[in-house]
Amino acid sequence: MSNPLIGRIVRRLRQEQGMTQQKLATRLGISTSYLNLIEHDQRGVTATLLIKLTEILQVDLAALSGSDERQIEQALRETFADPLLGTDPVPDAESQILAASAPAAAQAVLGLYRAFQAVREETGGITLPSGRRILLPNEEVRDFFHDHANHFPELEAAAEAMGAELPAATLGMNHALAERLRHKHGLVVSVGPLPGALRVYDPAARHLRLSETLPRESRGFQMAFQLGLLEARDLIEPIVKQAAMTTRDAGELLRIGLINYFAGAVLMPYAPFLEAAAALRHDVEHLAMRFGVSFEQACHRLSTLQRNGARGVPLFFLRVDPAGNVSKRFSAAGFPFARFGGNCPRWVVYSAFAAPGTVQVQVAQLPDGATYLCFARTIIATPARWGEPPATRVVAMGCEINRAGDFVYADGIAIANATIGIGLSCRLCDRQDCRSRAFPPLAHRLTLDVSTTSASPYRFEPVRT
């Protein structure tokens, strides 16, 4: 297994379980000295040995893959690169060691940095025209979903139970949802003009009003959301309470996110959706048509297939607007999103805006050599009235390149020749001569020369080894 973190991860897991090197080596059938070399990343791990490690340490392959550690490492790199911290440069190797050997300590450092950011924003950061300073709770909620692998078994079970009672096969899903709302909750659903809103629920009148601007698949989602609000609240509230969000706004965002999760699980039942995804080789447009949902809803559902014993392909999921604002983000594929800055303009996520409505594909390689099959497509919302620009976003997903064969999007691509080098963000990217670079890298000294105009806006010294 070619993972530079695996030795440190094995050592940490062994120590957490109170196991000596000698005991683990004996159970693995290798010498203590060989295990010591593995734990110090001086020997690789064979596939056979890897399987034994998962059985003895009672973890799955994901725990040894280093994906969580790479996410932590990337966040540490960005944290230590913040010039306002006023610290000496922290070598990347030290961030890697901290992430792999002491993830709890690393998370504590990141927690302190988030608190520092909050204080910085509160005292001199984001200020509205009215003069009121605000803190955005979306990052806290994103972290919660990431920490739970974007999967909630109790909500899946409740959605499956409801789905088993819905006569969707005979009535169609939307009709079945409307009938359940009417028969079980005495709630009438109507579609019509709804200025400034997409869904309005009047509990006193037992009336759910949906905007006529919603496409059919979105009307179904809103009805499933309403059922989640009425029938899954007892499951969702304990999750919100236990999460203990730091602000009321973050708690409400989490509550809405969990109801959205439940709605998606009702429309796209876990087992049938997982089976269809494999059979269709993750052709998202085809999946969306089969389940009567939108492209974005199908993408989001793919990112939640994390059930023990029946996992889907690990994927990252991203939604971004033309200004680079990320409104949704999740990674089960180990893709290290930049948390505190913009992403790489060479990434297919941004070129997809130039080809509205079509799936764009890219084989993207990060500076550390990690390579991903990425695909992206625009999502264009219906404007409220003529003359108003439609809200346009790109939804993107991707997997590690060794799973590319599971996707129709890899067909016809000569991966070795089609690979495009991207960075995490300009400030953290070490690539020389990038014409798309917007900012100089934080970790390098610039080498500007008035006698030469280079292709890249910023030339810099390479890393000293």
Side-chain angles (χ1 to χ4, degrees), residues 326-339:
V326 176
S327 50
K328 286 185 180 180
R329 180 181 64 211
F330 173 74
S331 179
F335 191 92
F337 292 120
R339 291 174 58 89

Side-chain angles (χ1 to χ4, degrees), residues 125-134:
I126 302 174
T127 305
L128 297 177
S130 63
R132 183 171 67 91
R133 295 185 175 93
I134 61 170

Side-chain angles (χ1 to χ4, degrees), residues 360-437:
Q360 302 295 299
V361 183
Q362 180 186 65
V363 178
Q365 186 175 70
L366 296 171
D368 64 359
T371 307
Y372 296 83
L373 177 73
C374 308
F375 56 95
R377 204 196 83 174
T378 53
I379 305 296
I380 303 175
T382 304
R385 61 182 183 278
W386 186 89
E388 179 178 291
T392 303
R393 301 178 180 88
V394 159
V395 169
M397 301 199 83
C399 65
E400 292 183 344
I401 199 63
N402 62 354
R403 299 302 301 269
D406 294 323
F407 292 78
V408 296
Y409 306 116
D411 291 353
I413 295 178
I415 291 175
N417 300 324
T419 302
I420 301 297
I422 69 169
L424 296 173
S425 69
C426 289
R427 290 187 172 93
L428 296 174
C429 182
D430 296 330
R431 296 188 185 280
Q432 295 275 6
D433 301 322
C434 176
R435 297 185 180 216
S436 300
R437 181 176 289 281

Side-chain angles (χ1 to χ4, degrees), residues 4-38:
L5 300 173
I6 192 169
R8 300 186 184 100
I9 295 171
V10 169
R11 182 169 68 249
R12 173 170 56 79
L13 291 172
R14 173 180 62 76
Q15 292 173 343
E16 287 175 356
Q17 296 183 28
M19 194 180 302
T20 65
Q21 268 192 346
Q22 183 178 4
K23 182 177 180 180
L24 178 56
T26 300
R27 295 185 64 182
L28 288 170
I30 61 176
S31 67
T32 304
S33 60
Y34 189 74
L35 176 60
N36 186 61
L37 291 173
I38 290 175

Side-chain angles (χ1 to χ4, degrees), residues 289-347:
M289 288 186 286
R290 178 170 294 186
F291 287 87
V293 297
S294 70
F295 184 88
E296 180 180 347
Q297 289 162 5
C299 284
H300 194 276
R301 185 57 169 150
L302 285 172
S303 75
T304 68
L305 302 180
Q306 300 295 310
R307 177 178 289 174
N308 284 335
R311 283 193 169 93
V313 176
L315 292 159
F316 69 76
F317 173 85
L318 184 78
R319 189 179 72 184
V320 64
D321 68 15
N325 301 307
V326 176
S327 50
K328 286 185 180 180
R329 180 181 64 211
F330 173 74
S331 179
F335 191 92
F337 292 120
R339 291 174 58 89
F340 312 120
N343 291 299
C344 179
R346 290 163 57 90
W347 198 14

Side-chain angles (χ1 to χ4, degrees), residues 176-217:
L177 293 169
E179 285 297 291
R180 186 177 182 96
L181 287 167
R182 183 168 70 90
H183 288 294
K184 187 166 184 175
H185 301 284
L187 196 154
V188 175
V189 180
S190 66
V191 178
L194 206 59
L198 299 177
R199 178 187 66 92
V200 174
Y201 170 49
D202 185 343
R206 310 305 294 167
H207 190 190
L208 175 64
R209 299 163 60 204
L210 301 179
S211 171
E212 62 188 5
T213 64
L214 283 171
R216 191 175 188 282
E217 61 268 20

